[in-house]
Amino acid sequence: MPTYPVINRETGEKKELSMTMKAYDEWRKENLSWDKDWQAGVAGTTYGEPKQSDGFKEVMQKMQAQHPVANLSRYT
């Protein structure tokens, strides 16, 4: 079940909610003084660097050839 870090805009109180997305959406409508705590992070953790497909690498190499000043080496 997803967890949602939230913060009270008026008091600064923080808490973490564990509920379905639908229930969270309803909770937000009923609790207008609460908002998502963006400082707590968003999304999961990525370990290492994502692997690029060969087709993507080929496109980036062609772009690098057309734009030699651009630093696209991290994508090729």
Side-chain angles (χ1 to χ4, degrees), residues 3 15 22 30 44-45:
T3 56
K15 60 178 160 179
K22 183 177 180 180
E30 295 169 1
T45 304

Side-chain angles (χ1 to χ4, degrees), residues 34-49:
W34 290 84
D35 195 15
K36 179 159 178 54
D37 185 7
W38 293 101
Q39 292 181 347
V42 291
T45 304
T46 302
Y47 297 97
E49 297 207 11

Side-chain angles (χ1 to χ4, degrees), residues 17-58:
L17 305 174
S18 179
M19 57 181 67
T20 65
M21 185 182 275
K22 183 177 180 180
Y24 175 66
D25 189 45
E26 291 172 6
W27 182 88
R28 292 257 337 250
K29 290 176 185 173
E30 295 169 1
N31 298 281
L32 298 175
S33 62
W34 290 84
D35 195 15
K36 179 159 178 54
D37 185 7
W38 293 101
Q39 292 181 347
V42 291
T45 304
T46 302
Y47 297 97
E49 297 207 11
K51 184 178 178 186
Q52 305 295 342
S53 69
D54 291 333
F56 180 76
K57 289 180 182 179
E58 182 181 345

Side-chain angles (χ1 to χ4, degrees), residues 57-74:
K57 289 180 182 179
E58 182 181 345
V59 169
M60 295 307 286
Q61 287 171 348
K62 289 179 182 178
M63 288 178 61
Q64 182 70 56
Q66 295 295 318
H67 305 281
V69 179
N71 181 12
L72 303 175
S73 61
R74 65 180 175 222

